[in-house]
Amino acid sequence: MTTILVIEDDAQTSREIEAALVDYGYETRTAFTGRDGLVKAISDPYDAIVLDRMLPGDLDGLGVLAALRAAGIHAPVLILSALTAVDERVRGLKAGGDDYLTKPFDFLELTARLDVLLRRRNAPITESVLRAGPLEVDLLTHTVRRHGQLVDLLPREYRLLEYLVRNAGQVVTRTMLFEEIWHYRYDEPTNLIDVHVSKLRRKIDTAGEPSVIQTVRGSGYVLNAAG
């Protein structure tokens, strides 16, 4: 059973997060202060940690994160914060966070981001070729093949497809793609992602076969690992 530690001082938010994670199939433990969260994280192993950035008292989220890494705890940490500025996200990631999700957030995105972190943690570190259905993505040469045939992709198209293949079978939200591929959060309505996905589909899909990249209405995309 995958166990997640949730360190969040707001009781209602903590309950909602815990309920969403339990519904998704995770086991959870909760803490409402930085010190309590640190003690629990050191006392027992966790597969991942959801950590509020703005914890009250003398040990905030970044303090907890620094203490965790100093103690040799390398469980992936998803930071939650109402601080949306780019420099705040950078601070969180440089402090040892693995991902940063701004409040308010959708629980589908929360679970999707945790899936990404857990899959990344468990992925073999020696892999050089990713495979999903008919696709092969070579991480060394940055080339893509479908059914053995080379597909000519632009650099951003390659990064977009690599991210989808790494998370094949999992819903990837548009916000996640913006942050991973374009490296910033874009909250205003835009069809930028849809345009790039459409161009990518035209290059990797084969006539007469279902599209490898499926749209999840209202959420984002999922790459069909079966092909």
Side-chain angles (χ1 to χ4, degrees):
M1 175 72 73
T2 300
T3 306
I4 311 295
L5 174 62
V6 179
I7 308 175
E8 164 65 59
D9 67 295
D10 184 82
Q12 180 176 346
T13 302
S14 179
R15 285 194 299 269
E16 291 173 348
I17 293 173
E18 186 175 15
L21 296 181
V22 170
D23 285 345
Y24 197 75
Y26 294 140
E27 184 175 337
T28 64
R29 300 288 185 274
T30 57
F32 298 101
T33 68
R35 293 197 177 279
D36 185 32
L38 181 58
V39 169
K40 288 184 176 179
I42 292 175
S43 300
D44 296 295
Y46 293 92
D47 296 288
I49 299 172
V50 176
L51 175 64
D52 184 26
R53 168 73 170 79
M54 303 294 288
L55 293 170
D58 58 354
L59 192 61
D60 68 358
L62 294 188
V64 172
L65 187 54
L68 290 174
R69 298 316 189 211
I73 297 173
H74 300 295
V77 174
L78 172 59
I79 300 173
L80 304 180
S81 179
L83 302 174
T84 61
V86 172
D87 59 341
E88 290 294 343
R89 296 202 300 274
V90 170
R91 283 186 66 195
L93 296 173
K94 284 188 174 181
D98 297 274
D99 200 357
Y100 194 106
L101 181 60
T102 56
K103 298 179 178 180
F105 54 84
D106 188 283
F107 290 108
L108 175 63
E109 183 164 1
L110 174 70
T111 54
R113 285 176 181 267
L114 283 172
D115 269 341
V116 170
L117 293 180
L118 292 167
R119 287 162 63 86
R120 184 185 303 163
R121 180 192 188 195
N122 296 327
I125 59 175
T126 57
E127 65 180 345
S128 62
V129 178
L130 303 177
R131 294 179 175 83
L135 297 174
E136 290 187 1
V137 178
D138 192 313
L139 303 179
L140 299 180
T141 62
H142 284 198
T143 56
V144 173
R145 295 179 183 274
R146 172 160 183 164
H147 293 307
Q149 298 297 313
L150 190 66
V151 180
D152 185 21
L153 298 181
L154 297 175
R156 183 159 286 169
E157 292 170 341
Y158 168 82
R159 293 198 300 273
L160 178 59
L161 182 62
E162 178 190 332
Y163 190 72
L164 290 169
V165 170
R166 284 186 182 276
N167 300 288
Q170 305 293 322
V171 175
V172 175
T173 68
R174 290 175 174 84
T175 300
M176 292 167 69
L177 290 172
F178 270 122
E179 294 185 359
E180 182 70 22
I181 309 303
W182 279 265
H183 303 297
Y184 70 95
R185 184 178 180 90
Y186 200 101
D187 295 314
E188 300 177 11
T190 176
N191 67 344
L192 179 63
I193 293 291
D194 304 274
V195 169
H196 277 79
V197 169
S198 178
K199 291 180 179 178
L200 183 58
R201 280 172 170 154
R202 287 199 293 269
K203 291 187 175 183
I204 66 174
D205 285 347
T206 301
E209 296 184 9
S211 178
V212 176
I213 303 173
Q214 302 295 320
T215 300
V216 180
R217 189 171 183 180
S219 299
Y221 302 94
V222 59
L223 189 138
N224 182 9

PDB file of all heavy atoms in Angstrom, residues 179-208:
ATOM      1  N   GLU A 179       3.851  23.870 -16.844  1.00  0.00           N
ATOM      2  CA  GLU A 179       4.959  24.013 -15.910  1.00  0.00           C
ATOM      3  C   GLU A 179       6.149  23.163 -16.317  1.00  0.00           C
ATOM      4  O   GLU A 179       7.299  23.559 -16.131  1.00  0.00           O
ATOM      5  CB  GLU A 179       4.501  23.655 -14.499  1.00  0.00           C
ATOM      6  CG  GLU A 179       3.471  24.635 -13.949  1.00  0.00           C
ATOM      7  CD  GLU A 179       3.099  24.352 -12.506  1.00  0.00           C
ATOM      8  OE1 GLU A 179       3.627  23.377 -11.939  1.00  0.00           O
ATOM      9  OE2 GLU A 179       2.278  25.104 -11.963  1.00  0.00           O
ATOM     10  N   GLU A 180       5.892  21.980 -16.870  1.00  0.00           N
ATOM     11  CA  GLU A 180       6.985  21.075 -17.228  1.00  0.00           C
ATOM     12  C   GLU A 180       7.634  21.455 -18.552  1.00  0.00           C
ATOM     13  O   GLU A 180       8.868  21.407 -18.674  1.00  0.00           O
ATOM     14  CB  GLU A 180       6.454  19.639 -17.312  1.00  0.00           C
ATOM     15  CG  GLU A 180       7.516  18.608 -17.632  1.00  0.00           C
ATOM     16  CD  GLU A 180       8.496  18.401 -16.495  1.00  0.00           C
ATOM     17  OE1 GLU A 180       8.138  18.718 -15.344  1.00  0.00           O
ATOM     18  OE2 GLU A 180       9.613  17.930 -16.772  1.00  0.00           O
ATOM     19  N   ILE A 181       6.846  21.828 -19.546  1.00  0.00           N
ATOM     20  CA  ILE A 181       7.384  22.078 -20.884  1.00  0.00           C
ATOM     21  C   ILE A 181       7.712  23.546 -21.105  1.00  0.00           C
ATOM     22  O   ILE A 181       8.726  23.893 -21.698  1.00  0.00           O
ATOM     23  CB  ILE A 181       6.385  21.601 -21.971  1.00  0.00           C
ATOM     24  CG1 ILE A 181       5.932  20.153 -21.690  1.00  0.00           C
ATOM     25  CG2 ILE A 181       7.021  21.707 -23.357  1.00  0.00           C
ATOM     26  CD1 ILE A 181       7.053  19.155 -21.589  1.00  0.00           C
ATOM     27  N   TRP A 182       6.829  24.428 -20.612  1.00  0.00           N
ATOM     28  CA  TRP A 182       7.049  25.867 -20.798  1.00  0.00           C
ATOM     29  C   TRP A 182       7.648  26.527 -19.554  1.00  0.00           C
ATOM     30  O   TRP A 182       8.020  27.676 -19.583  1.00  0.00           O
ATOM     31  CB  TRP A 182       5.741  26.561 -21.180  1.00  0.00           C
ATOM     32  CG  TRP A 182       5.415  26.414 -22.629  1.00  0.00           C
ATOM     33  CD1 TRP A 182       5.697  27.299 -23.625  1.00  0.00           C
ATOM     34  CD2 TRP A 182       4.740  25.317 -23.271  1.00  0.00           C
ATOM     35  NE1 TRP A 182       5.258  26.825 -24.834  1.00  0.00           N
ATOM     36  CE2 TRP A 182       4.661  25.605 -24.655  1.00  0.00           C
ATOM     37  CE3 TRP A 182       4.197  24.122 -22.813  1.00  0.00           C
ATOM     38  CZ2 TRP A 182       4.060  24.754 -25.570  1.00  0.00           C
ATOM     39  CZ3 TRP A 182       3.622  23.264 -23.719  1.00  0.00           C
ATOM     40  CH2 TRP A 182       3.544  23.574 -25.078  1.00  0.00           C
ATOM     41  N   HIS A 183       7.678  25.800 -18.446  1.00  0.00           N
ATOM     42  CA  HIS A 183       8.310  26.247 -17.205  1.00  0.00           C
ATOM     43  C   HIS A 183       7.670  27.481 -16.577  1.00  0.00           C
ATOM     44  O   HIS A 183       8.346  28.314 -15.995  1.00  0.00           O
ATOM     45  CB  HIS A 183       9.805  26.507 -17.427  1.00  0.00           C
ATOM     46  CG  HIS A 183      10.538  25.315 -17.951  1.00  0.00           C
ATOM     47  ND1 HIS A 183      10.652  24.139 -17.232  1.00  0.00           N
ATOM     48  CD2 HIS A 183      11.151  25.095 -19.142  1.00  0.00           C
ATOM     49  CE1 HIS A 183      11.326  23.256 -17.963  1.00  0.00           C
ATOM     50  NE2 HIS A 183      11.623  23.799 -19.112  1.00  0.00           N
ATOM     51  N   TYR A 184       6.371  27.586 -16.712  1.00  0.00           N
ATOM     52  CA  TYR A 184       5.651  28.612 -15.973  1.00  0.00           C
ATOM     53  C   TYR A 184       4.198  28.205 -15.852  1.00  0.00           C
ATOM     54  O   TYR A 184       3.721  27.340 -16.573  1.00  0.00           O
ATOM     55  CB  TYR A 184       5.764  29.988 -16.636  1.00  0.00           C
ATOM     56  CG  TYR A 184       5.021  30.141 -17.957  1.00  0.00           C
ATOM     57  CD1 TYR A 184       3.744  30.675 -18.004  1.00  0.00           C
ATOM     58  CD2 TYR A 184       5.619  29.758 -19.155  1.00  0.00           C
ATOM     59  CE1 TYR A 184       3.075  30.822 -19.206  1.00  0.00           C
ATOM     60  CE2 TYR A 184       4.958  29.903 -20.370  1.00  0.00           C
ATOM     61  CZ  TYR A 184       3.683  30.437 -20.387  1.00  0.00           C
ATOM     62  OH  TYR A 184       3.026  30.572 -21.574  1.00  0.00           O
ATOM     63  N   ARG A 185       3.513  28.852 -14.898  1.00  0.00           N
ATOM     64  CA  ARG A 185       2.106  28.552 -14.672  1.00  0.00           C
ATOM     65  C   ARG A 185       1.265  29.561 -15.435  1.00  0.00           C
ATOM     66  O   ARG A 185       1.476  30.756 -15.324  1.00  0.00           O
ATOM     67  CB  ARG A 185       1.768  28.599 -13.178  1.00  0.00           C
ATOM     68  CG  ARG A 185       0.327  28.182 -12.888  1.00  0.00           C
ATOM     69  CD  ARG A 185       0.047  28.204 -11.395  1.00  0.00           C
ATOM     70  NE  ARG A 185      -1.327  27.808 -11.112  1.00  0.00           N
ATOM     71  CZ  ARG A 185      -1.706  26.566 -10.901  1.00  0.00           C
ATOM     72  NH1 ARG A 185      -0.818  25.607 -10.926  1.00  0.00           N
ATOM     73  NH2 ARG A 185      -2.962  26.277 -10.650  1.00  0.00           N
ATOM     74  N   TYR A 186       0.309  29.054 -16.179  1.00  0.00           N
ATOM     75  CA  TYR A 186      -0.559  29.919 -16.977  1.00  0.00           C
ATOM     76  C   TYR A 186      -1.996  29.643 -16.580  1.00  0.00           C
ATOM     77  O   TYR A 186      -2.527  28.570 -16.846  1.00  0.00           O
ATOM     78  CB  TYR A 186      -0.363  29.621 -18.465  1.00  0.00           C
ATOM     79  CG  TYR A 186      -0.819  30.736 -19.375  1.00  0.00           C
ATOM     80  CD1 TYR A 186       0.097  31.606 -19.938  1.00  0.00           C
ATOM     81  CD2 TYR A 186      -2.171  30.914 -19.669  1.00  0.00           C
ATOM     82  CE1 TYR A 186      -0.310  32.625 -20.783  1.00  0.00           C
ATOM     83  CE2 TYR A 186      -2.585  31.942 -20.505  1.00  0.00           C
ATOM     84  CZ  TYR A 186      -1.651  32.787 -21.057  1.00  0.00           C
ATOM     85  OH  TYR A 186      -2.060  33.802 -21.879  1.00  0.00           O
ATOM     86  N   ASP A 187      -2.610  30.619 -15.913  1.00  0.00           N
ATOM     87  CA  ASP A 187      -3.951  30.413 -15.371  1.00  0.00           C
ATOM     88  C   ASP A 187      -5.057  30.935 -16.272  1.00  0.00           C
ATOM     89  O   ASP A 187      -6.229  30.668 -16.031  1.00  0.00           O
ATOM     90  CB  ASP A 187      -4.070  31.082 -13.996  1.00  0.00           C
ATOM     91  CG  ASP A 187      -3.144  30.419 -12.982  1.00  0.00           C
ATOM     92  OD1 ASP A 187      -3.128  29.186 -12.941  1.00  0.00           O
ATOM     93  OD2 ASP A 187      -2.453  31.142 -12.256  1.00  0.00           O
ATOM     94  N   GLU A 188      -4.703  31.738 -17.280  1.00  0.00           N
ATOM     95  CA  GLU A 188      -5.723  32.292 -18.155  1.00  0.00           C
ATOM     96  C   GLU A 188      -6.097  31.290 -19.244  1.00  0.00           C
ATOM     97  O   GLU A 188      -5.303  30.425 -19.605  1.00  0.00           O
ATOM     98  CB  GLU A 188      -5.214  33.584 -18.800  1.00  0.00           C
ATOM     99  CG  GLU A 188      -4.861  34.669 -17.787  1.00  0.00           C
ATOM    100  CD  GLU A 188      -4.286  35.902 -18.463  1.00  0.00           C
ATOM    101  OE1 GLU A 188      -4.366  35.975 -19.707  1.00  0.00           O
ATOM    102  OE2 GLU A 188      -3.770  36.771 -17.759  1.00  0.00           O
ATOM    103  N   PRO A 189      -7.338  31.400 -19.763  1.00  0.00           N
ATOM    104  CA  PRO A 189      -7.748  30.481 -20.841  1.00  0.00           C
ATOM    105  C   PRO A 189      -6.821  30.593 -22.054  1.00  0.00           C
ATOM    106  O   PRO A 189      -6.505  31.694 -22.496  1.00  0.00           O
ATOM    107  CB  PRO A 189      -9.173  30.953 -21.180  1.00  0.00           C
ATOM    108  CG  PRO A 189      -9.641  31.654 -19.943  1.00  0.00           C
ATOM    109  CD  PRO A 189      -8.420  32.317 -19.374  1.00  0.00           C
ATOM    110  N   THR A 190      -6.370  29.484 -22.569  1.00  0.00           N
ATOM    111  CA  THR A 190      -5.494  29.480 -23.734  1.00  0.00           C
ATOM    112  C   THR A 190      -5.610  28.133 -24.423  1.00  0.00           C
ATOM    113  O   THR A 190      -5.889  27.122 -23.777  1.00  0.00           O
ATOM    114  CB  THR A 190      -4.026  29.734 -23.344  1.00  0.00           C
ATOM    115  OG1 THR A 190      -3.204  29.620 -24.512  1.00  0.00           O
ATOM    116  CG2 THR A 190      -3.559  28.737 -22.307  1.00  0.00           C
ATOM    117  N   ASN A 191      -5.384  28.130 -25.724  1.00  0.00           N
ATOM    118  CA  ASN A 191      -5.411  26.865 -26.465  1.00  0.00           C
ATOM    119  C   ASN A 191      -4.009  26.446 -26.895  1.00  0.00           C
ATOM    120  O   ASN A 191      -3.845  25.613 -27.780  1.00  0.00           O
ATOM    121  CB  ASN A 191      -6.331  26.985 -27.675  1.00  0.00           C
ATOM    122  CG  ASN A 191      -5.782  27.953 -28.728  1.00  0.00           C
ATOM    123  OD1 ASN A 191      -4.876  28.747 -28.445  1.00  0.00           O
ATOM    124  ND2 ASN A 191      -6.329  27.896 -29.931  1.00  0.00           N
ATOM    125  N   LEU A 192      -2.983  27.018 -26.254  1.00  0.00           N
ATOM    126  CA  LEU A 192      -1.605  26.745 -26.634  1.00  0.00           C
ATOM    127  C   LEU A 192      -1.288  25.255 -26.549  1.00  0.00           C
ATOM    128  O   LEU A 192      -0.726  24.672 -27.488  1.00  0.00           O
ATOM    129  CB  LEU A 192      -0.642  27.532 -25.731  1.00  0.00           C
ATOM    130  CG  LEU A 192       0.856  27.325 -26.011  1.00  0.00           C
ATOM    131  CD1 LEU A 192       1.213  27.808 -27.407  1.00  0.00           C
ATOM    132  CD2 LEU A 192       1.686  28.069 -24.962  1.00  0.00           C
ATOM    133  N   ILE A 193      -1.667  24.636 -25.428  1.00  0.00           N
ATOM    134  CA  ILE A 193      -1.403  23.201 -25.268  1.00  0.00           C
ATOM    135  C   ILE A 193      -2.146  22.408 -26.329  1.00  0.00           C
ATOM    136  O   ILE A 193      -1.595  21.484 -26.946  1.00  0.00           O
ATOM    137  CB  ILE A 193      -1.813  22.734 -23.866  1.00  0.00           C
ATOM    138  CG1 ILE A 193      -0.907  23.368 -22.807  1.00  0.00           C
ATOM    139  CG2 ILE A 193      -1.755  21.218 -23.771  1.00  0.00           C
ATOM    140  CD1 ILE A 193       0.506  22.865 -22.816  1.00  0.00           C
ATOM    141  N   ASP A 194      -3.421  22.745 -26.536  1.00  0.00           N
ATOM    142  CA  ASP A 194      -4.231  22.007 -27.501  1.00  0.00           C
ATOM    143  C   ASP A 194      -3.633  22.084 -28.910  1.00  0.00           C
ATOM    144  O   ASP A 194      -3.648  21.100 -29.648  1.00  0.00           O
ATOM    145  CB  ASP A 194      -5.659  22.545 -27.510  1.00  0.00           C
ATOM    146  CG  ASP A 194      -6.281  22.511 -26.128  1.00  0.00           C
ATOM    147  OD1 ASP A 194      -6.834  21.469 -25.753  1.00  0.00           O
ATOM    148  OD2 ASP A 194      -6.191  23.521 -25.424  1.00  0.00           O
ATOM    149  N   VAL A 195      -3.112  23.260 -29.264  1.00  0.00           N
ATOM    150  CA  VAL A 195      -2.504  23.430 -30.584  1.00  0.00           C
ATOM    151  C   VAL A 195      -1.277  22.527 -30.733  1.00  0.00           C
ATOM    152  O   VAL A 195      -1.104  21.841 -31.745  1.00  0.00           O
ATOM    153  CB  VAL A 195      -2.116  24.910 -30.812  1.00  0.00           C
ATOM    154  CG1 VAL A 195      -1.240  25.049 -32.063  1.00  0.00           C
ATOM    155  CG2 VAL A 195      -3.358  25.774 -30.951  1.00  0.00           C
ATOM    156  N   HIS A 196      -0.432  22.500 -29.713  1.00  0.00           N
ATOM    157  CA  HIS A 196       0.772  21.676 -29.789  1.00  0.00           C
ATOM    158  C   HIS A 196       0.435  20.183 -29.791  1.00  0.00           C
ATOM    159  O   HIS A 196       1.081  19.398 -30.496  1.00  0.00           O
ATOM    160  CB  HIS A 196       1.705  22.002 -28.621  1.00  0.00           C
ATOM    161  CG  HIS A 196       2.566  23.198 -28.861  1.00  0.00           C
ATOM    162  ND1 HIS A 196       2.107  24.490 -28.735  1.00  0.00           N
ATOM    163  CD2 HIS A 196       3.864  23.306 -29.250  1.00  0.00           C
ATOM    164  CE1 HIS A 196       3.078  25.332 -29.011  1.00  0.00           C
ATOM    165  NE2 HIS A 196       4.148  24.645 -29.338  1.00  0.00           N
ATOM    166  N   VAL A 197      -0.564  19.788 -29.004  1.00  0.00           N
ATOM    167  CA  VAL A 197      -0.967  18.382 -28.984  1.00  0.00           C
ATOM    168  C   VAL A 197      -1.536  17.984 -30.346  1.00  0.00           C
ATOM    169  O   VAL A 197      -1.276  16.887 -30.850  1.00  0.00           O
ATOM    170  CB  VAL A 197      -1.988  18.116 -27.862  1.00  0.00           C
ATOM    171  CG1 VAL A 197      -2.598  16.723 -28.016  1.00  0.00           C
ATOM    172  CG2 VAL A 197      -1.325  18.237 -26.497  1.00  0.00           C
ATOM    173  N   SER A 198      -2.302  18.887 -30.952  1.00  0.00           N
ATOM    174  CA  SER A 198      -2.875  18.606 -32.269  1.00  0.00           C
ATOM    175  C   SER A 198      -1.772  18.391 -33.309  1.00  0.00           C
ATOM    176  O   SER A 198      -1.834  17.455 -34.114  1.00  0.00           O
ATOM    177  CB  SER A 198      -3.787  19.768 -32.694  1.00  0.00           C
ATOM    178  OG  SER A 198      -4.316  19.541 -33.978  1.00  0.00           O
ATOM    179  N   LYS A 199      -0.745  19.241 -33.272  1.00  0.00           N
ATOM    180  CA  LYS A 199       0.375  19.085 -34.206  1.00  0.00           C
ATOM    181  C   LYS A 199       1.121  17.777 -33.940  1.00  0.00           C
ATOM    182  O   LYS A 199       1.534  17.084 -34.876  1.00  0.00           O
ATOM    183  CB  LYS A 199       1.327  20.271 -34.066  1.00  0.00           C
ATOM    184  CG  LYS A 199       0.758  21.589 -34.573  1.00  0.00           C
ATOM    185  CD  LYS A 199       1.773  22.712 -34.403  1.00  0.00           C
ATOM    186  CE  LYS A 199       1.221  24.026 -34.940  1.00  0.00           C
ATOM    187  NZ  LYS A 199       2.184  25.147 -34.743  1.00  0.00           N
ATOM    188  N   LEU A 200       1.285  17.441 -32.663  1.00  0.00           N
ATOM    189  CA  LEU A 200       1.972  16.209 -32.301  1.00  0.00           C
ATOM    190  C   LEU A 200       1.197  14.991 -32.768  1.00  0.00           C
ATOM    191  O   LEU A 200       1.777  14.028 -33.292  1.00  0.00           O
ATOM    192  CB  LEU A 200       2.177  16.167 -30.788  1.00  0.00           C
ATOM    193  CG  LEU A 200       2.944  14.977 -30.206  1.00  0.00           C
ATOM    194  CD1 LEU A 200       4.340  14.884 -30.820  1.00  0.00           C
ATOM    195  CD2 LEU A 200       3.041  15.103 -28.692  1.00  0.00           C
ATOM    196  N   ARG A 201      -0.114  15.039 -32.610  1.00  0.00           N
ATOM    197  CA  ARG A 201      -0.947  13.912 -33.075  1.00  0.00           C
ATOM    198  C   ARG A 201      -0.789  13.684 -34.569  1.00  0.00           C
ATOM    199  O   ARG A 201      -0.710  12.541 -35.033  1.00  0.00           O
ATOM    200  CB  ARG A 201      -2.412  14.194 -32.751  1.00  0.00           C
ATOM    201  CG  ARG A 201      -2.819  13.907 -31.306  1.00  0.00           C
ATOM    202  CD  ARG A 201      -4.209  14.396 -31.061  1.00  0.00           C
ATOM    203  NE  ARG A 201      -4.741  13.958 -29.776  1.00  0.00           N
ATOM    204  CZ  ARG A 201      -5.681  14.606 -29.110  1.00  0.00           C
ATOM    205  NH1 ARG A 201      -6.194  15.728 -29.600  1.00  0.00           N
ATOM    206  NH2 ARG A 201      -6.124  14.141 -27.959  1.00  0.00           N
ATOM    207  N   ARG A 202      -0.750  14.768 -35.327  1.00  0.00           N
ATOM    208  CA  ARG A 202      -0.635  14.628 -36.782  1.00  0.00           C
ATOM    209  C   ARG A 202       0.670  13.939 -37.179  1.00  0.00           C
ATOM    210  O   ARG A 202       0.744  13.283 -38.219  1.00  0.00           O
ATOM    211  CB  ARG A 202      -0.737  16.000 -37.451  1.00  0.00           C
ATOM    212  CG  ARG A 202      -2.145  16.578 -37.445  1.00  0.00           C
ATOM    213  CD  ARG A 202      -2.304  17.677 -38.474  1.00  0.00           C
ATOM    214  NE  ARG A 202      -1.512  18.856 -38.153  1.00  0.00           N
ATOM    215  CZ  ARG A 202      -1.949  19.878 -37.426  1.00  0.00           C
ATOM    216  NH1 ARG A 202      -3.190  19.849 -36.919  1.00  0.00           N
ATOM    217  NH2 ARG A 202      -1.180  20.925 -37.200  1.00  0.00           N
ATOM    218  N   LYS A 203       1.674  14.082 -36.328  1.00  0.00           N
ATOM    219  CA  LYS A 203       2.969  13.492 -36.655  1.00  0.00           C
ATOM    220  C   LYS A 203       3.105  12.042 -36.180  1.00  0.00           C
ATOM    221  O   LYS A 203       3.814  11.250 -36.811  1.00  0.00           O
ATOM    222  CB  LYS A 203       4.097  14.334 -36.048  1.00  0.00           C
ATOM    223  CG  LYS A 203       4.258  15.702 -36.698  1.00  0.00           C
ATOM    224  CD  LYS A 203       5.489  16.434 -36.178  1.00  0.00           C
ATOM    225  CE  LYS A 203       5.703  17.741 -36.921  1.00  0.00           C
ATOM    226  NZ  LYS A 203       6.941  18.432 -36.482  1.00  0.00           N
ATOM    227  N   ILE A 204       2.465  11.699 -35.058  1.00  0.00           N
ATOM    228  CA  ILE A 204       2.691  10.362 -34.507  1.00  0.00           C
ATOM    229  C   ILE A 204       1.548   9.390 -34.756  1.00  0.00           C
ATOM    230  O   ILE A 204       1.736   8.174 -34.615  1.00  0.00           O
ATOM    231  CB  ILE A 204       2.976  10.420 -32.991  1.00  0.00           C
ATOM    232  CG1 ILE A 204       1.738  10.903 -32.223  1.00  0.00           C
ATOM    233  CG2 ILE A 204       4.189  11.279 -32.701  1.00  0.00           C
ATOM    234  CD1 ILE A 204       1.904  10.833 -30.725  1.00  0.00           C
ATOM    235  N   ASP A 205       0.369   9.909 -35.118  1.00  0.00           N
ATOM    236  CA  ASP A 205      -0.761   9.004 -35.347  1.00  0.00           C
ATOM    237  C   ASP A 205      -0.684   8.375 -36.735  1.00  0.00           C
ATOM    238  O   ASP A 205      -0.168   8.976 -37.683  1.00  0.00           O
ATOM    239  CB  ASP A 205      -2.088   9.744 -35.185  1.00  0.00           C
ATOM    240  CG  ASP A 205      -2.426  10.005 -33.724  1.00  0.00           C
ATOM    241  OD1 ASP A 205      -1.766   9.410 -32.855  1.00  0.00           O
ATOM    242  OD2 ASP A 205      -3.330  10.806 -33.453  1.00  0.00           O
ATOM    243  N   THR A 206      -1.213   7.179 -36.831  1.00  0.00           N
ATOM    244  CA  THR A 206      -1.255   6.457 -38.099  1.00  0.00           C
ATOM    245  C   THR A 206      -2.686   6.402 -38.600  1.00  0.00           C
ATOM    246  O   THR A 206      -3.608   6.144 -37.826  1.00  0.00           O
ATOM    247  CB  THR A 206      -0.734   5.016 -37.917  1.00  0.00           C
ATOM    248  OG1 THR A 206       0.604   5.065 -37.420  1.00  0.00           O
ATOM    249  CG2 THR A 206      -0.763   4.255 -39.220  1.00  0.00           C
ATOM    250  N   ALA A 207      -2.855   6.673 -39.897  1.00  0.00           N
ATOM    251  CA  ALA A 207      -4.194   6.678 -40.487  1.00  0.00           C
ATOM    252  C   ALA A 207      -4.902   5.354 -40.246  1.00  0.00           C
ATOM    253  O   ALA A 207      -4.318   4.289 -40.412  1.00  0.00           O
ATOM    254  CB  ALA A 207      -4.102   6.960 -41.990  1.00  0.00           C
ATOM    255  N   GLY A 208      -6.159   5.437 -39.815  1.00  0.00           N
ATOM    256  CA  GLY A 208      -6.946   4.236 -39.585  1.00  0.00           C
ATOM    257  C   GLY A 208      -6.812   3.658 -38.191  1.00  0.00           C
ATOM    258  O   GLY A 208      -7.518   2.711 -37.847  1.00  0.00           O
TER     259      GLY A 208
END
